[in-house]
Amino acid sequence: MSGNVFGKNFTVTTFGESHGAAVGCVIDGCPAGLKICEDDINADLSKRRPGNGDASTTRVEADVCEILSGVFEGVSLGAPIAIVIRNTNAHSADYAPLKDVYRPGHADKCWDEKYGLRDYRGGGRSSARETAGRVAAGAVARRLLAENGTAIKAWVSAVGGVEAPGFGEAGFLMEEIDGNSLRMPSKSAFEKALALVKKVKADGDSIGGVVSCRVTAPPPCLGEPVFRKLDALLASAILSIGAVKGFEIGAGFSSAALTGSQNNDAPLGLDLSANNAGGTLGGISTGLPLEFSAAFKPAPSIKKEQRAFCKDGSIRDISIKGRHDVCVCPRAVPVVEAMTALVLADLLLENRSSRL
Amino acid sequence: MSGNVFGKNFTVTTFGESHGAAVGCVIDGCPAGLKICEDDINADLSKRRPGNGDASTTRVEADVCEILSGVFEGVSLGAPIAIVIRNTNAHSADYAPLKDVYRPGHADKCWDEKYGLRDYRGGGRSSARETAGRVAAGAVARRLLAENGTAIKAWVSAVGGVEAPGFGEAGFLMEEIDGNSLRMPSKSAFEKALALVKKVKADGDSIGGVVSCRVTAPPPCLGEPVFRKLDALLASAILSIGAVKGFEIGAGFSSAALTGSQNNDAPLGLDLSANNAGGTLGGISTGLPLEFSAAFKPAPSIKKEQRAFCKDGSIRDISIKGRHDVCVCPRAVPVVEAMTALVLADLLLENRSSRL
Amino acid sequence: MSGNVFGKNFTVTTFGESHGAAVGCVIDGCPAGLKICEDDINADLSKRRPGNGDASTTRVEADVCEILSGVFEGVSLGAPIAIVIRNTNAHSADYAPLKDVYRPGHADKCWDEKYGLRDYRGGGRSSARETAGRVAAGAVARRLLAENGTAIKAWVSAVGGVEAPGFGEAGFLMEEIDGNSLRMPSKSAFEKALALVKKVKADGDSIGGVVSCRVTAPPPCLGEPVFRKLDALLASAILSIGAVKGFEIGAGFSSAALTGSQNNDAPLGLDLSANNAGGTLGGISTGLPLEFSAAFKPAPSIKKEQRAFCKDGSIRDISIKGRHDVCVCPRAVPVVEAMTALVLADLLLENRSSRL
Amino acid sequence: MSGNVFGKNFTVTTFGESHGAAVGCVIDGCPAGLKICEDDINADLSKRRPGNGDASTTRVEADVCEILSGVFEGVSLGAPIAIVIRNTNAHSADYAPLKDVYRPGHADKCWDEKYGLRDYRGGGRSSARETAGRVAAGAVARRLLAENGTAIKAWVSAVGGVEAPGFGEAGFLMEEIDGNSLRMPSKSAFEKALALVKKVKADGDSIGGVVSCRVTAPPPCLGEPVFRKLDALLASAILSIGAVKGFEIGAGFSSAALTGSQNNDAPLGLDLSANNAGGTLGGISTGLPLEFSAAFKPAPSIKKEQRAFCKDGSIRDISIKGRHDVCVCPRAVPVVEAMTALVLADLLLENRSSRL
């Protein structure tokens, strides 16, 4: 049931397994006339690329894309844009010992039950590598949004228990985000988090975290009042990223403890520290910045021994030897940005027909 | 763009404004042969019905439905099931003073900007009354799931800062939920929460809360590995309920602070207190109970004076006089259950074709 | 799988069985600000109404609609528009003898095989009465198109072997169409066809025919180059009408015998007799009139004895006693118009986002 | 609006321009466990390949595909299957003189109006080359249908006015179809048609024709009673092929001249010459062979001089020099088969949930 297709207007289909020939996407519905080139996409891919951070896997992929269609003389045609990223550094042999083991916290067992067979090499379609296709599509969506003045910026707001200051709080530095390997908006938070990451890594373990995202100058009037609330579409987009277990927008879970008079934003919406709504009311974007966060569980692949089901029903102690992220959050930052871009681009195109 | 249509297989379209002639739904895709009658639906509607709880609006609606089609001799035909619930107790006059005011925390201003006009009576389509159609459809979905042995139960786990014990914790009593007006699973939590509700009401204010949901014996193998992850579809469904600002599944936001060895569930999945995954892995249901929560912001309509934008751009102090919920959570419980049922029924029908 | 939902932008769900409580539709995606009232819809319904023509069933239905939602003070809100038409003249008893018989040329046997049960009263959901919901939705779509200056006119171009002159040919009179009970554009053709209809009726038989449709001033640029060609969407819409077995646009089947130099329309497109393209090129509307036709098979319900399968596998001679159309074409005229309107409204709304 | 996506369950997205880097498709929803390899797909592609027939363009493309994803060890994974076919023989220079001319009978002018720019090389996305992606996807769908015993066979039933005998008629030879360059089911019809083709070619002109298709052992119960009638989906699929201007199923247009007693098929459905229904009743497949035909207009690209609009509004006499098909029908045969396979595979997967 087209579970690899996202969006109704700016429609993206992703494809590819971790250790297959390639990953990629096809974008259907991108308006004609948008300037795009492979470098735009490669720039975003490089942020997601493995091998470039303290918390990252050591698998190294060039992650250079090829645009197969839909772009002519540097401009989109209004035709489908197919983008392919070849897999070049797959160490499939690492996974042979796991062929008949269901790794805890992974989809392995579910795949076998649902599909009857499975690509056991690196998670196959359930690998985080699948998100390269999303990031490629997101790069195009971001170009479209940029034409409207909209910018999307995500960062790691917590690693394990180490929290960075929130946007607008003392110590939050937007320019710091791209300056450290954990993509945190504060140098001191980064240093504490890095120490934690190193310790966890030494333990052969992994650690969870939180990614936050802020969209400035989002188009107003995106979303619809009932099932296609902007909040709902963002939540779905973000929860579709592997390892995400929670989503909140604006005041989020903390709004549950507030009164209406505390939580209602003042009409002018000028005080950014009080954007409790997070940029939407009744499911529709107000034009104020969109602000939301996603909780990522710790990566389930760890060296530390754990008990695991095997295909034959037995239970075994396993240690997972592949090249895994200690904390997925830094590399998830461009994926959160990409999914946000896909939602907004989709609604941007839809929105043009809301009134006579 | 069909923002009032939900689901791809068990497809529900809801309709109706708060103060129009009726609200309701059409269900397309319900398999033939399901026993359903109006009483089944009325039973669920009565849980959502206004006027029956300490935290609820005093608007009284009989909320009795009529099935217009799709059921013949008490059994579904496989044809669309149209269900209508007449509005009988609309006090539209209450809203006349608000015709040109944009209520803070509501969609009023967004509606005017997006659609150019608006039904100002009680929120129109953005009213919580719209959820009656969802509950009616959900009642049919629940019947379908019940045929598979699946049961859905939600409750209020927090009102303001007053938290009830979690499922499996000491003091949690499933049978208590339907025994108190706040639908909390603990009498002592209820009493504390009720005192808070009364105080907030006396202040002319409102209060937020959390609704938690647990699905027992969910069908395994629901959901798909990428965009149609069960988690993503649930998040979208829950965030499509007005006032919801956060969603988490399994360990949710707390998993961000855990290590992989702490968070990975032991293979047997027998220890319910350690269902950190919340019943899904890689976006696919494992067959273990689904467990998730939703944060509800305080209802934005309050008697307490607040500053509001007017249509003409001026700012005015307003006090909202309608009949509003002090805490929306108790009445949101059946809506959370309904949306959960719609997601699961949709996937249940889809799931049958995942392998050759 | 939402087989009762039509359109992606102007999305219509129809519901209702022939002998149930009501038929109707919900329109999702109609822009806000459109003036609509029940009389607009009733006017179109009355053209489809049974009992008003020489070739029609004698079942008499008032076919007066009620708008339940989506319209406020005579104007669309941008919210779903639910429209209900009560069934009042169902003679279900007529069908009791057919409960266990599969009528030849009907869906009866397929229904039992596909759904396991069936509403045997008058065809249930497969009855032509289902189209009342389409006509109601089409009336709203036509209002939307009329705002753009687009008009849709269909007529009966053949009954049995009796053909009326084609549009632009000598003897074709647009104003004659609504002046005779067979909706033919020529008095002499009507008289010949009427004689045929009377003879066929006297024989207890039925007769096929052709309905042609012409859209003046269609919005240009509707449709897309590949799967959503305007031609493809129209074909699907028209073939979704029961009894339609063929569709052709522009020169249609006769173009198969032409050369390119004969068939290519001259660039100016001014000579209407040479609109071989029928108003589309490459799947996109050119702005010239859309011209297409649909072949209707003879209604399968006839008094004349025929052999039929029974539920128990036996074969029986039956004579169908209900009140049936001798030729469905005259009453199909408003249905063809409605489906055309639904396609064009759907594309009209989609079209606004095709370029940057 | 995803106009390059086809199907709801077996969902295919095609991409690629005639003179871009590649054409291809992504299939989402193919069940796991299906044996597929590149040779299966290449076999179907070779039937559509240009350069191998008397009526065909002289462009020569190897049309060898690469499967990028979704297949592991020769078996489908249940993940998206991406297939790429590189363009190798594009003579883009041929088209430079046409850069500012709108070729008659082509989408050129519509593209410019709709999208604001256009890939003028060989029709870009509107080129028949786009159908290579459909044929690749269709090859996978056919493998899926073959598992169910279903076979699809199309042929050229008319070239210009030269008609071959119909299926079941004297002179119709199924085994002849693949034995002649025009894919006609009769040697004598082929010879007459070939003479016509040669004459038309010598004139620098093109000629239309009819392709007929027959599906043996189609799965019963495919399709739904209202908008997703099998007939409607087939019509849409077939009309989505460039140059198709008409579609008929079963007795088609000839049924318009029949009476009910003539047209209703006898219950046993054993007499194939009387499959007037064409394999569907009420929009649902009966299990009898599906039989339908499509009218193709003559290819609009001709050497013969014709008048054409230019981008600047002027009118010019042009002669189109590219390598074009004299009659598109022989190469359309595998495309008709592919689209039929896509519709049936889509419904096959959907059909499993129509009853409890």
Side-chain angles (χ1 to χ4, degrees):
Chain A
M1 164 47 94
S2 23
N4 300 280
V5 180
F6 187 86
K8 295 196 167 184
N9 305 283
F10 191 95
T11 303
V12 173
T13 306
T14 67
F15 60 85
E17 293 80 48
S18 181
H19 291 220
V23 295
C25 67
V26 182
I27 304 164
D28 190 14
C30 181
L34 186 70
K35 282 184 195 159
I36 333 165
C37 66
E38 286 159 352
D39 283 351
D40 292 333
I41 298 164
N42 289 335
D44 276 17
L45 285 172
S46 77
K47 291 187 197 159
R48 199 216 71 92
R49 203 149 55 83
N52 69 351
D54 294 293
S56 162
T57 162
T58 56
R59 173 172 176 175
V60 182
E61 287 281 1
D63 277 358
V64 169
C65 76
E66 182 188 10
I67 298 177
L68 291 182
S69 67
V71 178
F72 177 52
E73 300 179 341
V75 173
S76 67
L77 281 167
I81 301 170
I83 305 171
V84 170
I85 304 143
R86 295 270 166 184
N87 293 330
T88 57
N89 193 252
H91 285 195
S92 305
D94 285 358
Y95 293 89
L98 295 172
K99 193 177 167 178
D100 298 318
V101 180
Y102 297 137
R103 295 167 301 161
H106 278 285
D108 298 358
K109 190 157 179 285
C110 295
W111 260 94
D112 264 10
E113 280 169 16
K114 185 176 179 97
Y115 297 102
L117 77 161
R118 160 173 73 97
D119 179 353
Y120 54 83
R121 305 162 305 166
R125 182 66 185 152
S126 290
S127 165
R129 181 142 187 80
E130 167 268 323
T131 60
R134 306 190 192 199
V135 170
V140 179
R142 291 172 83 151
R143 287 280 308 105
L144 182 64
L145 292 162
E147 296 278 333
N148 289 271
T150 301
I152 300 168
K153 188 74 190 163
W155 61 87
V156 176
S157 47
V159 173
V162 181
E163 292 182 21
F167 179 84
E169 291 178 7
F172 181 99
L173 278 177
M174 197 59 100
E175 56 273 27
E176 177 63 27
I177 296 167
D178 293 324
N180 66 71
S181 65
L182 296 178
R183 297 210 167 107
M184 296 186 85
S186 144
K187 196 157 189 186
S188 65
F190 160 65
E191 283 163 359
K192 267 182 249 167
L194 184 61
L196 174 59
V197 161
K198 287 183 174 168
K199 188 191 163 301
V200 164
K201 192 175 187 172
D203 291 350
D205 214 334
S206 63
I207 186 80
V210 177
V211 173
S212 295
C213 187
R214 191 161 190 279
V215 181
T216 48
C221 298
L222 299 190
E224 291 184 52
V226 182
F227 299 121
R228 282 176 72 76
K229 285 191 170 79
L230 174 53
D231 324 53
L233 297 181
L234 283 172
S236 173
I238 299 303
L239 266 287
S240 81
I241 305 171
V244 175
K245 301 302 280 184
F247 170 87
E248 57 181 2
I249 184 162
F253 274 88
S254 69
S255 68
L258 299 178
T259 63
S261 57
Q262 291 167 332
N263 186 64
N264 284 352
D265 293 320
L268 286 182
L270 294 179
D271 182 359
L272 293 176
S273 65
N275 185 5
N276 283 331
T280 76
L281 282 175
I284 300 170
S285 65
T286 60
L288 286 183
L290 293 169
E291 299 190 294
F292 54 87
S293 293
F296 284 76
K297 72 174 187 182
S301 285
I302 54 177
K303 274 200 196 134
K304 222 170 178 172
E305 265 202 355
Q306 45 181 345
R307 304 182 73 198
F309 263 122
C310 299
K311 212 172 170 174
D312 61 8
S314 67
I315 293 183
R316 199 198 291 180
D317 284 334
I318 64 160
S319 163
I320 300 177
K321 296 279 162 42
R323 301 160 298 173
H324 303 288
D325 295 281
V326 179
C327 179
V328 299
C329 291
R331 288 181 59 215
V333 161
V335 184
V336 166
E337 291 175 345
M339 292 309 299
T340 303
L342 294 185
V343 169
L344 297 180
D346 195 50
L347 289 174
L348 181 68
L349 297 179
E350 162 173 327
N351 201 46
R352 300 186 189 176
S353 54
S354 59
R355 57 163 109 175
L356 200 60
Chain B
M1 164 49 93
S2 22
N4 299 281
V5 180
F6 187 87
K8 295 194 166 184
N9 305 284
F10 190 95
T11 303
V12 174
T13 306
T14 66
F15 61 84
E17 292 80 48
S18 180
H19 292 219
V23 295
C25 67
V26 182
I27 304 164
D28 190 15
C30 180
L34 185 71
K35 282 184 196 161
I36 332 165
C37 65
E38 287 159 352
D39 283 351
D40 292 333
I41 298 165
N42 289 336
D44 276 17
L45 285 172
S46 77
K47 291 188 198 160
R48 198 215 70 93
R49 204 149 54 83
N52 69 351
D54 294 293
S56 161
T57 164
T58 54
R59 173 172 174 175
V60 182
E61 288 281 3
D63 278 357
V64 170
C65 76
E66 182 188 11
I67 298 177
L68 292 182
S69 68
V71 178
F72 177 52
E73 301 179 340
V75 173
S76 68
L77 280 167
I81 302 170
I83 305 171
V84 171
I85 304 142
R86 296 269 164 182
N87 293 329
T88 56
N89 192 252
H91 286 194
S92 304
D94 284 358
Y95 292 90
L98 294 172
K99 193 177 169 178
D100 298 317
V101 179
Y102 296 138
R103 296 166 302 162
H106 277 285
D108 298 358
K109 190 156 178 286
C110 295
W111 260 93
D112 264 10
E113 281 169 15
K114 186 176 179 98
Y115 297 102
L117 76 161
R118 158 175 74 96
D119 179 353
Y120 55 83
R121 305 163 306 168
R125 183 66 183 151
S126 289
S127 164
R129 180 141 186 81
E130 167 268 323
T131 59
R134 306 190 191 200
V135 170
V140 179
R142 292 172 83 152
R143 287 281 306 105
L144 183 63
L145 292 162
E147 296 279 332
N148 288 272
T150 301
I152 300 168
K153 187 74 190 166
W155 60 88
V156 176
S157 47
V159 173
V162 180
E163 292 181 21
F167 178 85
E169 291 178 7
F172 182 99
L173 278 177
M174 198 59 100
E175 57 274 28
E176 176 63 27
I177 296 169
D178 294 324
N180 66 72
S181 65
L182 296 178
R183 297 209 167 107
M184 296 187 85
S186 144
K187 194 156 190 187
S188 65
F190 160 65
E191 282 163 1
K192 269 183 247 167
L194 183 60
L196 174 59
V197 161
K198 286 183 174 168
K199 186 191 164 303
V200 164
K201 191 174 189 174
D203 291 350
D205 214 336
S206 64
I207 186 81
V210 177
V211 173
S212 295
C213 186
R214 190 161 192 279
V215 181
T216 48
C221 298
L222 299 191
E224 291 185 51
V226 182
F227 300 120
R228 282 176 71 76
K229 285 191 170 78
L230 174 54
D231 323 53
L233 298 181
L234 283 172
S236 174
I238 299 302
L239 266 287
S240 80
I241 304 172
V244 174
K245 301 302 280 184
F247 170 87
E248 57 181 4
I249 184 162
F253 274 87
S254 68
S255 69
L258 299 177
T259 62
S261 57
Q262 290 167 332
N263 187 64
N264 284 352
D265 294 320
L268 287 181
L270 294 180
D271 181 358
L272 292 176
S273 65
N275 185 6
N276 283 330
T280 77
L281 282 175
I284 300 169
S285 65
T286 60
L288 286 183
L290 294 168
E291 299 190 293
F292 55 87
S293 293
F296 284 76
K297 72 174 186 181
S301 286
I302 53 177
K303 275 201 195 133
K304 222 170 178 173
E305 265 202 355
Q306 45 180 346
R307 302 183 74 200
F309 263 122
C310 299
K311 214 173 170 173
D312 61 9
S314 66
I315 292 183
R316 199 199 290 180
D317 283 335
I318 62 159
S319 163
I320 300 177
K321 298 276 163 42
R323 300 160 300 173
H324 303 288
D325 295 281
V326 178
C327 178
V328 299
C329 292
R331 288 181 58 214
V333 161
V335 183
V336 166
E337 291 175 344
M339 292 310 299
T340 303
L342 294 185
V343 168
L344 297 180
D346 195 49
L347 289 173
L348 181 68
L349 297 179
E350 160 173 329
N351 198 48
R352 303 185 187 178
S353 55
S354 59
R355 53 164 112 176
L356 201 63
Chain C
M1 162 48 93
S2 20
N4 299 282
V5 180
F6 187 86
K8 295 195 167 184
N9 305 284
F10 190 95
T11 304
V12 173
T13 306
T14 66
F15 60 84
E17 292 80 49
S18 180
H19 291 219
V23 295
C25 67
V26 182
I27 304 164
D28 190 14
C30 181
L34 185 71
K35 281 184 195 160
I36 333 165
C37 66
E38 286 159 353
D39 283 350
D40 292 333
I41 298 164
N42 290 336
D44 276 17
L45 285 172
S46 78
K47 291 188 197 158
R48 198 216 71 93
R49 205 148 54 82
N52 68 352
D54 293 294
S56 162
T57 162
T58 54
R59 174 173 174 175
V60 182
E61 286 280 2
D63 277 358
V64 169
C65 77
E66 182 188 11
I67 298 177
L68 291 182
S69 68
V71 178
F72 177 50
E73 301 178 340
V75 173
S76 67
L77 280 166
I81 302 171
I83 305 171
V84 170
I85 303 142
R86 295 271 166 183
N87 293 330
T88 57
N89 192 253
H91 286 194
S92 305
D94 284 357
Y95 292 90
L98 295 171
K99 193 176 171 180
D100 298 318
V101 179
Y102 296 137
R103 295 167 301 161
H106 278 285
D108 298 358
K109 190 156 178 285
C110 295
W111 260 94
D112 264 10
E113 280 169 16
K114 185 175 179 100
Y115 297 102
L117 75 162
R118 158 175 73 97
D119 180 353
Y120 55 83
R121 305 164 306 167
R125 182 65 183 152
S126 289
S127 164
R129 181 144 186 79
E130 168 268 323
T131 60
R134 306 190 191 200
V135 170
V140 178
R142 291 172 83 153
R143 287 281 306 108
L144 182 63
L145 292 162
E147 297 278 331
N148 288 271
T150 300
I152 299 168
K153 187 74 190 165
W155 61 87
V156 176
S157 47
V159 172
V162 181
E163 292 183 21
F167 178 85
E169 291 178 7
F172 182 99
L173 279 177
M174 197 60 100
E175 57 274 28
E176 177 64 26
I177 296 168
D178 294 323
N180 65 72
S181 66
L182 296 179
R183 296 207 167 109
M184 296 188 87
S186 144
K187 196 157 188 187
S188 65
F190 160 65
E191 283 164 358
K192 267 182 248 167
L194 184 61
L196 175 59
V197 162
K198 287 184 174 168
K199 187 192 164 302
V200 164
K201 192 175 187 174
D203 291 349
D205 213 335
S206 64
I207 186 82
V210 177
V211 173
S212 295
C213 186
R214 191 162 191 277
V215 181
T216 47
C221 297
L222 299 191
E224 291 186 51
V226 182
F227 300 120
R228 282 176 71 77
K229 284 191 171 77
L230 174 53
D231 324 52
L233 298 181
L234 282 172
S236 173
I238 298 303
L239 266 286
S240 80
I241 304 171
V244 175
K245 300 303 279 185
F247 170 87
E248 58 181 2
I249 184 163
F253 274 88
S254 68
S255 69
L258 299 177
T259 63
S261 58
Q262 291 167 330
N263 186 65
N264 283 353
D265 293 320
L268 288 183
L270 294 180
D271 183 359
L272 293 176
S273 64
N275 185 5
N276 283 331
T280 76
L281 282 175
I284 300 170
S285 64
T286 60
L288 287 183
L290 294 168
E291 300 190 292
F292 55 87
S293 293
F296 284 77
K297 71 173 188 183
S301 285
I302 52 176
K303 277 202 195 130
K304 220 170 178 171
E305 265 202 358
Q306 43 181 347
R307 303 182 74 199
F309 262 123
C310 300
K311 213 172 171 174
D312 60 9
S314 67
I315 292 183
R316 198 199 291 180
D317 284 334
I318 62 160
S319 162
I320 300 178
K321 297 278 162 46
R323 299 161 298 173
H324 304 288
D325 294 282
V326 178
C327 178
V328 299
C329 292
R331 288 181 59 214
V333 162
V335 183
V336 166
E337 291 175 343
M339 292 310 299
T340 303
L342 293 185
V343 169
L344 297 180
D346 195 49
L347 289 174
L348 181 69
L349 297 179
E350 162 173 329
N351 200 49
R352 301 187 188 177
S353 54
S354 59
R355 56 162 110 177
L356 199 60
Chain D
M1 163 49 93
S2 18
N4 300 281
V5 179
F6 187 87
K8 296 196 166 181
N9 305 285
F10 190 94
T11 303
V12 174
T13 306
T14 67
F15 60 84
E17 292 80 48
S18 180
H19 291 220
V23 295
C25 67
V26 182
I27 304 164
D28 190 14
C30 181
L34 185 70
K35 282 184 197 160
I36 333 166
C37 65
E38 286 159 352
D39 284 350
D40 292 333
I41 298 164
N42 290 335
D44 276 17
L45 285 172
S46 78
K47 290 188 199 158
R48 198 216 71 93
R49 206 150 52 84
N52 69 351
D54 294 292
S56 162
T57 164
T58 55
R59 174 173 174 174
V60 182
E61 288 280 2
D63 277 357
V64 170
C65 76
E66 183 188 9
I67 298 177
L68 292 182
S69 67
V71 178
F72 178 52
E73 301 179 339
V75 173
S76 67
L77 279 166
I81 301 171
I83 305 171
V84 170
I85 304 143
R86 295 270 166 185
N87 293 330
T88 56
N89 192 252
H91 285 195
S92 304
D94 285 357
Y95 293 90
L98 295 172
K99 192 175 170 178
D100 298 317
V101 179
Y102 297 138
R103 296 167 300 163
H106 277 286
D108 298 358
K109 190 157 179 284
C110 295
W111 259 94
D112 264 10
E113 280 168 16
K114 185 175 179 99
Y115 297 103
L117 76 161
R118 160 174 73 97
D119 180 352
Y120 54 83
R121 306 163 305 168
R125 182 66 183 151
S126 290
S127 165
R129 181 143 187 79
E130 166 268 323
T131 59
R134 306 190 191 198
V135 170
V140 179
R142 290 172 84 152
R143 288 281 306 107
L144 182 63
L145 292 162
E147 296 278 332
N148 289 272
T150 301
I152 299 168
K153 187 74 190 166
W155 61 87
V156 176
S157 48
V159 173
V162 180
E163 293 182 21
F167 178 85
E169 291 178 8
F172 182 100
L173 278 178
M174 197 59 101
E175 56 275 27
E176 176 64 26
I177 296 168
D178 294 322
N180 66 72
S181 66
L182 296 179
R183 296 207 168 108
M184 296 187 86
S186 143
K187 196 158 188 186
S188 65
F190 160 65
E191 283 163 0
K192 267 182 247 165
L194 184 60
L196 174 60
V197 161
K198 286 183 174 168
K199 187 192 163 304
V200 164
K201 192 175 187 174
D203 292 349
D205 214 335
S206 64
I207 187 81
V210 178
V211 173
S212 295
C213 187
R214 190 161 192 279
V215 181
T216 47
C221 297
L222 299 190
E224 291 185 53
V226 182
F227 300 121
R228 282 176 72 75
K229 284 191 170 78
L230 174 53
D231 323 53
L233 298 180
L234 283 172
S236 173
I238 298 304
L239 267 286
S240 81
I241 304 171
V244 175
K245 301 302 281 183
F247 170 88
E248 57 180 3
I249 185 163
F253 274 88
S254 69
S255 69
L258 298 179
T259 62
S261 58
Q262 290 167 332
N263 187 64
N264 284 352
D265 293 320
L268 286 182
L270 292 180
D271 181 0
L272 293 176
S273 66
N275 186 6
N276 284 330
T280 76
L281 282 175
I284 300 169
S285 65
T286 60
L288 286 183
L290 294 169
E291 299 190 293
F292 54 87
S293 293
F296 284 76
K297 71 174 186 181
S301 286
I302 53 176
K303 276 201 195 131
K304 220 171 180 173
E305 265 201 357
Q306 44 180 346
R307 304 183 73 198
F309 263 123
C310 298
K311 214 172 170 172
D312 60 10
S314 66
I315 292 183
R316 200 198 289 180
D317 282 336
I318 63 160
S319 161
I320 300 177
K321 297 276 161 45
R323 301 161 297 173
H324 303 288
D325 295 281
V326 178
C327 179
V328 300
C329 291
R331 288 181 59 215
V333 161
V335 184
V336 166
E337 291 175 344
M339 292 310 300
T340 304
L342 293 186
V343 168
L344 297 180
D346 195 50
L347 289 174
L348 181 68
L349 297 179
E350 162 173 329
N351 199 46
R352 303 185 187 179
S353 54
S354 58
R355 55 163 112 176
L356 200 64

